[in-house]
Amino acid sequence: QQQVKQSPQSLIVQKGGISIINCAYENTAFDYFPWYQQFPGKGPALLIAIRPDVSEKKEGRFTISFNKSAKQFSLHIMDSQPGDSATYFCAASMRSTGANSKLTFGKGITLSVRP
Amino acid sequence: SAVISQKPSRDICQRGTSLTIQCQVDSQVTMMFWYRQQPGQSLTLIATANQGSEATYESGFVIDKFPISRPNLTFSTLTVSNMSPEDSSIYLCSVDRERDGYTFGSGTRLTVV
């Protein structure tokens, strides 16, 4: 059973455009929702994260939108640049539980930003 | 964010042998997480390592194959035992600090031949 589902599987965007990646989760006990960016040969790097008491969070060109009733959250990358070309993972955890706070990852999507 | 050092960064090993991966964190943390990332795939949690207790393994992973040590609050090791080509993956350690979120090391790229 896949608890965190990402879509689309891949994405191609023109430079300057908006990249939108969606994620749906099943476990309503999840209380922490991060997005990670991974370049080849590197570990995942935390981009931005949100808790369910907030509907939107923005950091620079990256915005998370959160819809608790739909159990969905999305990553928006504004003014996409070729340097944003990477693999993006959404994840979720029951972070406040402490002992059971492991991260569950989506399958990831490959973003390509065309010059 | 937390600074995590993993060693080795990569290795090529013969099947049937074992490799121990080290993870060092720049500050004390309660839990350390070990993940596997197979080529072109997402991250799968192997186990959670708490200092002073046995590691908690996820379904499909067993202690005999992936023994973990956690001797103190800044260090952990993961051993991949009796390796086969199917164990070729990137192995990553991770920690969670309240102010930084979950941080990952740069990973150990393992190839089994």
Side-chain angles (χ1 to χ4, degrees), chain B residues 4-43:
Chain B
I4 303 175
S5 300
Q6 265 189 251
K7 293 181 181 179
S9 59
R10 58 177 63 229
D11 208 341
I12 300 173
C13 301
Q14 296 291 323
R15 69 175 65 202
T17 63
S18 297
L19 176 71
T20 296
I21 302 167
Q22 299 179 3
C23 182
Q24 178 76 51
V25 189
D26 65 344
S27 63
Q28 294 182 343
V29 291
T30 303
M31 287 184 287
M32 296 178 76
F33 305 92
W34 285 99
Y35 287 84
R36 181 176 73 182
Q37 187 175 25
Q38 295 177 302
Q41 302 297 312
S42 185
L43 287 82

mmCIF file of all heavy atoms in Angstrom, chain B residues 4-43:
data_model
loop_
_atom_site.group_PDB
_atom_site.id
_atom_site.type_symbol
_atom_site.label_atom_id
_atom_site.label_comp_id
_atom_site.label_asym_id
_atom_site.label_seq_id
_atom_site.Cartn_x
_atom_site.Cartn_y
_atom_site.Cartn_z
ATOM 1 N N ILE B 4 25.940 15.931 8.319
ATOM 2 C CA ILE B 4 26.041 14.480 8.410
ATOM 3 C C ILE B 4 27.151 14.012 7.483
ATOM 4 O O ILE B 4 27.151 14.332 6.294
ATOM 5 C CB ILE B 4 24.717 13.805 7.999
ATOM 6 C CG1 ILE B 4 23.567 14.310 8.866
ATOM 7 C CG2 ILE B 4 24.844 12.300 8.092
ATOM 8 C CD1 ILE B 4 22.211 13.787 8.439
ATOM 9 N N SER B 5 28.081 13.261 8.034
ATOM 10 C CA SER B 5 29.188 12.723 7.246
ATOM 11 C C SER B 5 29.022 11.219 7.124
ATOM 12 O O SER B 5 28.866 10.536 8.140
ATOM 13 C CB SER B 5 30.527 13.044 7.922
ATOM 14 O OG SER B 5 30.705 14.432 8.046
ATOM 15 N N GLN B 6 29.053 10.736 5.908
ATOM 16 C CA GLN B 6 28.954 9.305 5.667
ATOM 17 C C GLN B 6 30.239 8.802 5.041
ATOM 18 O O GLN B 6 30.805 9.444 4.142
ATOM 19 C CB GLN B 6 27.803 8.999 4.700
ATOM 20 C CG GLN B 6 26.506 8.643 5.367
ATOM 21 C CD GLN B 6 25.457 8.146 4.407
ATOM 22 O OE1 GLN B 6 24.483 8.835 4.146
ATOM 23 N NE2 GLN B 6 25.670 6.931 3.878
ATOM 24 N N LYS B 7 30.654 7.617 5.486
ATOM 25 C CA LYS B 7 31.828 6.963 4.904
ATOM 26 C C LYS B 7 31.556 5.495 4.683
ATOM 27 O O LYS B 7 30.908 4.868 5.543
ATOM 28 C CB LYS B 7 33.033 7.098 5.856
ATOM 29 C CG LYS B 7 33.549 8.487 6.043
ATOM 30 C CD LYS B 7 34.748 8.455 6.984
ATOM 31 C CE LYS B 7 35.295 9.834 7.217
ATOM 32 N NZ LYS B 7 36.444 9.819 8.153
ATOM 33 N N PRO B 8 32.018 4.872 3.613
ATOM 34 C CA PRO B 8 32.649 5.531 2.474
ATOM 35 C C PRO B 8 31.602 6.198 1.582
ATOM 36 O O PRO B 8 30.417 5.954 1.740
ATOM 37 C CB PRO B 8 33.318 4.362 1.743
ATOM 38 C CG PRO B 8 32.403 3.208 2.023
ATOM 39 C CD PRO B 8 31.890 3.408 3.415
ATOM 40 N N SER B 9 32.038 7.019 0.660
ATOM 41 C CA SER B 9 31.090 7.651 -0.253
ATOM 42 C C SER B 9 30.669 6.678 -1.352
ATOM 43 O O SER B 9 29.573 6.772 -1.908
ATOM 44 C CB SER B 9 31.697 8.908 -0.879
ATOM 45 O OG SER B 9 32.888 8.575 -1.589
ATOM 46 N N ARG B 10 31.545 5.763 -1.674
ATOM 47 C CA ARG B 10 31.220 4.727 -2.651
ATOM 48 C C ARG B 10 32.164 3.543 -2.455
ATOM 49 O O ARG B 10 33.247 3.689 -1.891
ATOM 50 C CB ARG B 10 31.316 5.235 -4.083
ATOM 51 C CG ARG B 10 32.680 5.782 -4.473
ATOM 52 C CD ARG B 10 32.675 6.202 -5.945
ATOM 53 N NE ARG B 10 31.731 7.273 -6.194
ATOM 54 C CZ ARG B 10 30.836 7.247 -7.191
ATOM 55 N NH1 ARG B 10 30.766 6.204 -7.993
ATOM 56 N NH2 ARG B 10 30.024 8.263 -7.372
ATOM 57 N N ASP B 11 31.712 2.378 -2.896
ATOM 58 C CA ASP B 11 32.563 1.188 -2.819
ATOM 59 C C ASP B 11 32.061 0.150 -3.822
ATOM 60 O O ASP B 11 30.866 0.123 -4.166
ATOM 61 C CB ASP B 11 32.548 0.599 -1.409
ATOM 62 C CG ASP B 11 33.831 -0.149 -1.078
ATOM 63 O OD1 ASP B 11 34.554 -0.524 -2.023
ATOM 64 O OD2 ASP B 11 34.101 -0.364 0.121
ATOM 65 N N ILE B 12 32.991 -0.631 -4.287
ATOM 66 C CA ILE B 12 32.670 -1.781 -5.135
ATOM 67 C C ILE B 12 33.102 -3.012 -4.363
ATOM 68 O O ILE B 12 34.269 -3.123 -3.963
ATOM 69 C CB ILE B 12 33.402 -1.700 -6.488
ATOM 70 C CG1 ILE B 12 32.996 -0.421 -7.226
ATOM 71 C CG2 ILE B 12 33.085 -2.928 -7.333
ATOM 72 C CD1 ILE B 12 33.791 -0.159 -8.500
ATOM 73 N N CYS B 13 32.163 -3.912 -4.124
ATOM 74 C CA CYS B 13 32.436 -5.068 -3.267
ATOM 75 C C CYS B 13 32.123 -6.370 -3.993
ATOM 76 O O CYS B 13 31.272 -6.415 -4.873
ATOM 77 C CB CYS B 13 31.601 -4.979 -1.990
ATOM 78 S SG CYS B 13 31.900 -3.506 -1.001
ATOM 79 N N GLN B 14 32.806 -7.412 -3.543
ATOM 80 C CA GLN B 14 32.557 -8.738 -4.091
ATOM 81 C C GLN B 14 31.335 -9.348 -3.419
ATOM 82 O O GLN B 14 31.079 -9.125 -2.219
ATOM 83 C CB GLN B 14 33.770 -9.645 -3.842
ATOM 84 C CG GLN B 14 35.031 -9.192 -4.562
ATOM 85 C CD GLN B 14 34.933 -9.364 -6.068
ATOM 86 O OE1 GLN B 14 34.355 -10.345 -6.558
ATOM 87 N NE2 GLN B 14 35.470 -8.411 -6.805
ATOM 88 N N ARG B 15 30.575 -10.105 -4.148
ATOM 89 C CA ARG B 15 29.416 -10.784 -3.558
ATOM 90 C C ARG B 15 29.882 -11.719 -2.449
ATOM 91 O O ARG B 15 30.970 -12.275 -2.491
ATOM 92 C CB ARG B 15 28.635 -11.542 -4.623
ATOM 93 C CG ARG B 15 29.334 -12.748 -5.214
ATOM 94 C CD ARG B 15 28.412 -13.486 -6.174
ATOM 95 N NE ARG B 15 28.065 -12.683 -7.342
ATOM 96 C CZ ARG B 15 26.996 -12.895 -8.086
ATOM 97 N NH1 ARG B 15 26.146 -13.859 -7.768
ATOM 98 N NH2 ARG B 15 26.757 -12.159 -9.149
ATOM 99 N N GLY B 16 29.055 -11.828 -1.419
ATOM 100 C CA GLY B 16 29.370 -12.672 -0.277
ATOM 101 C C GLY B 16 30.125 -11.962 0.828
ATOM 102 O O GLY B 16 30.241 -12.481 1.932
ATOM 103 N N THR B 17 30.627 -10.754 0.544
ATOM 104 C CA THR B 17 31.350 -10.008 1.571
ATOM 105 C C THR B 17 30.399 -9.045 2.280
ATOM 106 O O THR B 17 29.207 -8.974 1.964
ATOM 107 C CB THR B 17 32.524 -9.224 0.964
ATOM 108 O OG1 THR B 17 32.013 -8.250 0.037
ATOM 109 C CG2 THR B 17 33.471 -10.167 0.226
ATOM 110 N N SER B 18 30.921 -8.313 3.258
ATOM 111 C CA SER B 18 30.130 -7.355 4.021
ATOM 112 C C SER B 18 30.786 -5.986 3.960
ATOM 113 O O SER B 18 32.007 -5.867 3.833
ATOM 114 C CB SER B 18 30.011 -7.806 5.490
ATOM 115 O OG SER B 18 29.331 -9.039 5.577
ATOM 116 N N LEU B 19 29.972 -4.952 4.071
ATOM 117 C CA LEU B 19 30.458 -3.569 4.088
ATOM 118 C C LEU B 19 29.804 -2.837 5.243
ATOM 119 O O LEU B 19 28.583 -2.913 5.420
ATOM 120 C CB LEU B 19 30.129 -2.848 2.779
ATOM 121 C CG LEU B 19 30.506 -1.369 2.736
ATOM 122 C CD1 LEU B 19 32.034 -1.221 2.666
ATOM 123 C CD2 LEU B 19 29.855 -0.655 1.563
ATOM 124 N N THR B 20 30.598 -2.113 5.998
ATOM 125 C CA THR B 20 30.072 -1.299 7.088
ATOM 126 C C THR B 20 30.138 0.166 6.706
ATOM 127 O O THR B 20 31.203 0.668 6.310
ATOM 128 C CB THR B 20 30.849 -1.541 8.393
ATOM 129 O OG1 THR B 20 30.648 -2.902 8.799
ATOM 130 C CG2 THR B 20 30.356 -0.623 9.503
ATOM 131 N N ILE B 21 29.003 0.826 6.811
ATOM 132 C CA ILE B 21 28.869 2.244 6.469
ATOM 133 C C ILE B 21 28.768 3.045 7.758
ATOM 134 O O ILE B 21 28.015 2.681 8.669
ATOM 135 C CB ILE B 21 27.620 2.473 5.604
ATOM 136 C CG1 ILE B 21 27.692 1.623 4.327
ATOM 137 C CG2 ILE B 21 27.464 3.951 5.258
ATOM 138 C CD1 ILE B 21 26.377 1.541 3.573
ATOM 139 N N GLN B 22 29.527 4.116 7.815
ATOM 140 C CA GLN B 22 29.536 4.943 9.019
ATOM 141 C C GLN B 22 28.776 6.243 8.793
ATOM 142 O O GLN B 22 28.824 6.812 7.702
ATOM 143 C CB GLN B 22 30.973 5.276 9.422
ATOM 144 C CG GLN B 22 31.826 4.073 9.735
ATOM 145 C CD GLN B 22 33.244 4.461 10.106
ATOM 146 O OE1 GLN B 22 33.586 5.644 10.191
ATOM 147 N NE2 GLN B 22 34.075 3.472 10.345
ATOM 148 N N CYS B 23 28.103 6.696 9.837
ATOM 149 C CA CYS B 23 27.377 7.958 9.792
ATOM 150 C C CYS B 23 27.696 8.760 11.050
ATOM 151 O O CYS B 23 27.448 8.288 12.160
ATOM 152 C CB CYS B 23 25.880 7.686 9.685
ATOM 153 S SG CYS B 23 24.868 9.174 9.549
ATOM 154 N N GLN B 24 28.239 9.943 10.851
ATOM 155 C CA GLN B 24 28.622 10.822 11.959
ATOM 156 C C GLN B 24 27.837 12.125 11.851
ATOM 157 O O GLN B 24 27.805 12.752 10.791
ATOM 158 C CB GLN B 24 30.123 11.128 11.905
ATOM 159 C CG GLN B 24 30.631 12.064 12.979
ATOM 160 C CD GLN B 24 30.744 11.374 14.315
ATOM 161 O OE1 GLN B 24 31.337 10.311 14.447
ATOM 162 N NE2 GLN B 24 30.167 11.990 15.348
ATOM 163 N N VAL B 25 27.206 12.530 12.951
ATOM 164 C CA VAL B 25 26.416 13.762 12.974
ATOM 165 C C VAL B 25 27.125 14.794 13.835
ATOM 166 O O VAL B 25 27.807 14.434 14.806
ATOM 167 C CB VAL B 25 24.999 13.498 13.531
ATOM 168 C CG1 VAL B 25 24.114 14.720 13.345
ATOM 169 C CG2 VAL B 25 24.375 12.298 12.852
ATOM 170 N N ASP B 26 26.938 16.070 13.507
ATOM 171 C CA ASP B 26 27.684 17.119 14.203
ATOM 172 C C ASP B 26 27.077 17.506 15.548
ATOM 173 O O ASP B 26 27.599 18.375 16.243
ATOM 174 C CB ASP B 26 27.818 18.357 13.316
ATOM 175 C CG ASP B 26 26.480 19.023 13.023
ATOM 176 O OD1 ASP B 26 25.432 18.382 13.237
ATOM 177 O OD2 ASP B 26 26.482 20.183 12.581
ATOM 178 N N SER B 27 25.963 16.880 15.928
ATOM 179 C CA SER B 27 25.372 17.152 17.231
ATOM 180 C C SER B 27 24.574 15.929 17.673
ATOM 181 O O SER B 27 24.272 15.049 16.865
ATOM 182 C CB SER B 27 24.487 18.386 17.186
ATOM 183 O OG SER B 27 23.410 18.159 16.310
ATOM 184 N N GLN B 28 24.218 15.897 18.932
ATOM 185 C CA GLN B 28 23.512 14.732 19.463
ATOM 186 C C GLN B 28 22.074 14.675 18.944
ATOM 187 O O GLN B 28 21.378 15.689 18.923
ATOM 188 C CB GLN B 28 23.525 14.777 20.993
ATOM 189 C CG GLN B 28 24.924 14.633 21.579
ATOM 190 C CD GLN B 28 24.907 14.627 23.103
ATOM 191 O OE1 GLN B 28 23.932 15.027 23.724
ATOM 192 N NE2 GLN B 28 25.996 14.170 23.703
ATOM 193 N N VAL B 29 21.650 13.498 18.562
ATOM 194 C CA VAL B 29 20.287 13.277 18.097
ATOM 195 C C VAL B 29 19.763 11.996 18.704
ATOM 196 O O VAL B 29 20.520 11.054 18.939
ATOM 197 C CB VAL B 29 20.193 13.196 16.562
ATOM 198 C CG1 VAL B 29 20.473 14.553 15.915
ATOM 199 C CG2 VAL B 29 21.125 12.139 15.995
ATOM 200 N N THR B 30 18.465 11.943 18.942
ATOM 201 C CA THR B 30 17.879 10.760 19.562
ATOM 202 C C THR B 30 17.816 9.601 18.569
ATOM 203 O O THR B 30 18.242 8.496 18.854
ATOM 204 C CB THR B 30 16.472 11.078 20.081
ATOM 205 O OG1 THR B 30 16.563 12.170 20.994
ATOM 206 C CG2 THR B 30 15.869 9.867 20.777
ATOM 207 N N MET B 31 17.252 9.875 17.411
ATOM 208 C CA MET B 31 17.064 8.808 16.424
ATOM 209 C C MET B 31 17.885 9.084 15.175
ATOM 210 O O MET B 31 18.013 10.221 14.733
ATOM 211 C CB MET B 31 15.588 8.691 16.055
ATOM 212 C CG MET B 31 14.733 8.077 17.143
ATOM 213 S SD MET B 31 13.032 7.840 16.619
ATOM 214 C CE MET B 31 12.471 9.538 16.638
ATOM 215 N N MET B 32 18.407 8.012 14.601
ATOM 216 C CA MET B 32 19.042 8.075 13.293
ATOM 217 C C MET B 32 18.334 7.063 12.402
ATOM 218 O O MET B 32 17.948 5.978 12.852
ATOM 219 C CB MET B 32 20.538 7.784 13.394
ATOM 220 C CG MET B 32 21.305 8.825 14.220
ATOM 221 S SD MET B 32 23.051 8.490 14.402
ATOM 222 C CE MET B 32 23.659 8.948 12.788
ATOM 223 N N PHE B 33 18.142 7.435 11.160
ATOM 224 C CA PHE B 33 17.398 6.612 10.213
ATOM 225 C C PHE B 33 18.330 6.155 9.089
ATOM 226 O O PHE B 33 19.132 6.937 8.590
ATOM 227 C CB PHE B 33 16.240 7.409 9.603
ATOM 228 C CG PHE B 33 15.302 8.014 10.616
ATOM 229 C CD1 PHE B 33 15.500 9.299 11.081
ATOM 230 C CD2 PHE B 33 14.213 7.297 11.081
ATOM 231 C CE1 PHE B 33 14.627 9.870 11.998
ATOM 232 C CE2 PHE B 33 13.333 7.852 12.006
ATOM 233 C CZ PHE B 33 13.537 9.142 12.467
ATOM 234 N N TRP B 34 18.174 4.909 8.690
ATOM 235 C CA TRP B 34 18.935 4.379 7.560
ATOM 236 C C TRP B 34 17.977 4.044 6.421
ATOM 237 O O TRP B 34 16.990 3.331 6.615
ATOM 238 C CB TRP B 34 19.707 3.124 7.957
ATOM 239 C CG TRP B 34 20.911 3.417 8.793
ATOM 240 C CD1 TRP B 34 21.013 3.329 10.161
ATOM 241 C CD2 TRP B 34 22.194 3.850 8.321
ATOM 242 N NE1 TRP B 34 22.284 3.680 10.556
ATOM 243 C CE2 TRP B 34 23.033 3.999 9.460
ATOM 244 C CE3 TRP B 34 22.729 4.119 7.065
ATOM 245 C CZ2 TRP B 34 24.368 4.415 9.360
ATOM 246 C CZ3 TRP B 34 24.045 4.525 6.969
ATOM 247 C CH2 TRP B 34 24.854 4.661 8.106
ATOM 248 N N TYR B 35 18.299 4.586 5.225
ATOM 249 C CA TYR B 35 17.468 4.393 4.045
ATOM 250 C C TYR B 35 18.268 3.696 2.945
ATOM 251 O O TYR B 35 19.496 3.805 2.870
ATOM 252 C CB TYR B 35 16.982 5.735 3.482
ATOM 253 C CG TYR B 35 15.919 6.411 4.306
ATOM 254 C CD1 TYR B 35 16.256 7.198 5.403
ATOM 255 C CD2 TYR B 35 14.578 6.282 3.971
ATOM 256 C CE1 TYR B 35 15.275 7.825 6.154
ATOM 257 C CE2 TYR B 35 13.585 6.911 4.709
ATOM 258 C CZ TYR B 35 13.942 7.680 5.794
ATOM 259 O OH TYR B 35 12.975 8.308 6.529
ATOM 260 N N ARG B 36 17.554 3.043 2.059
ATOM 261 C CA ARG B 36 18.131 2.485 0.842
ATOM 262 C C ARG B 36 17.438 3.136 -0.349
ATOM 263 O O ARG B 36 16.207 3.310 -0.345
ATOM 264 C CB ARG B 36 17.942 0.970 0.790
ATOM 265 C CG ARG B 36 18.541 0.322 -0.452
ATOM 266 C CD ARG B 36 18.405 -1.178 -0.400
ATOM 267 N NE ARG B 36 17.050 -1.635 -0.619
ATOM 268 C CZ ARG B 36 16.687 -2.913 -0.574
ATOM 269 N NH1 ARG B 36 17.585 -3.856 -0.307
ATOM 270 N NH2 ARG B 36 15.432 -3.249 -0.806
ATOM 271 N N GLN B 37 18.226 3.490 -1.347
ATOM 272 C CA GLN B 37 17.670 4.047 -2.573
ATOM 273 C C GLN B 37 18.227 3.242 -3.738
ATOM 274 O O GLN B 37 19.387 3.408 -4.126
ATOM 275 C CB GLN B 37 18.009 5.539 -2.730
ATOM 276 C CG GLN B 37 17.314 6.185 -3.900
ATOM 277 C CD GLN B 37 17.550 7.687 -3.987
ATOM 278 O OE1 GLN B 37 18.553 8.205 -3.495
ATOM 279 N NE2 GLN B 37 16.626 8.395 -4.601
ATOM 280 N N GLN B 38 17.413 2.372 -4.291
ATOM 281 C CA GLN B 38 17.841 1.580 -5.433
ATOM 282 C C GLN B 38 17.870 2.454 -6.674
ATOM 283 O O GLN B 38 17.197 3.509 -6.725
ATOM 284 C CB GLN B 38 16.920 0.371 -5.588
ATOM 285 C CG GLN B 38 17.048 -0.591 -4.399
ATOM 286 C CD GLN B 38 16.113 -1.766 -4.456
ATOM 287 O OE1 GLN B 38 14.914 -1.603 -4.525
ATOM 288 N NE2 GLN B 38 16.679 -2.966 -4.400
ATOM 289 N N PRO B 39 18.647 2.070 -7.680
ATOM 290 C CA PRO B 39 18.839 2.928 -8.862
ATOM 291 C C PRO B 39 17.527 3.424 -9.453
ATOM 292 O O PRO B 39 16.639 2.630 -9.768
ATOM 293 C CB PRO B 39 19.597 2.010 -9.823
ATOM 294 C CG PRO B 39 20.342 1.063 -8.940
ATOM 295 C CD PRO B 39 19.434 0.819 -7.771
ATOM 296 N N GLY B 40 17.404 4.733 -9.570
ATOM 297 C CA GLY B 40 16.225 5.329 -10.178
ATOM 298 C C GLY B 40 14.961 5.231 -9.345
ATOM 299 O O GLY B 40 13.872 5.521 -9.850
ATOM 300 N N GLN B 41 15.099 4.852 -8.086
ATOM 301 C CA GLN B 41 13.925 4.651 -7.245
ATOM 302 C C GLN B 41 13.869 5.668 -6.097
ATOM 303 O O GLN B 41 14.759 6.495 -5.938
ATOM 304 C CB GLN B 41 13.949 3.229 -6.656
ATOM 305 C CG GLN B 41 13.991 2.122 -7.686
ATOM 306 C CD GLN B 41 12.755 2.110 -8.552
ATOM 307 O OE1 GLN B 41 11.619 2.180 -8.051
ATOM 308 N NE2 GLN B 41 12.954 2.011 -9.865
ATOM 309 N N SER B 42 12.815 5.546 -5.318
ATOM 310 C CA SER B 42 12.640 6.416 -4.159
ATOM 311 C C SER B 42 13.414 5.852 -2.963
ATOM 312 O O SER B 42 14.117 4.848 -3.072
ATOM 313 C CB SER B 42 11.155 6.522 -3.840
ATOM 314 O OG SER B 42 10.938 7.438 -2.789
ATOM 315 N N LEU B 43 13.271 6.497 -1.844
ATOM 316 C CA LEU B 43 13.955 6.081 -0.627
ATOM 317 C C LEU B 43 13.055 5.156 0.184
ATOM 318 O O LEU B 43 11.868 5.447 0.386
ATOM 319 C CB LEU B 43 14.316 7.296 0.232
ATOM 320 C CG LEU B 43 15.456 8.167 -0.285
ATOM 321 C CD1 LEU B 43 14.984 9.144 -1.348
ATOM 322 C CD2 LEU B 43 16.115 8.913 0.869
#
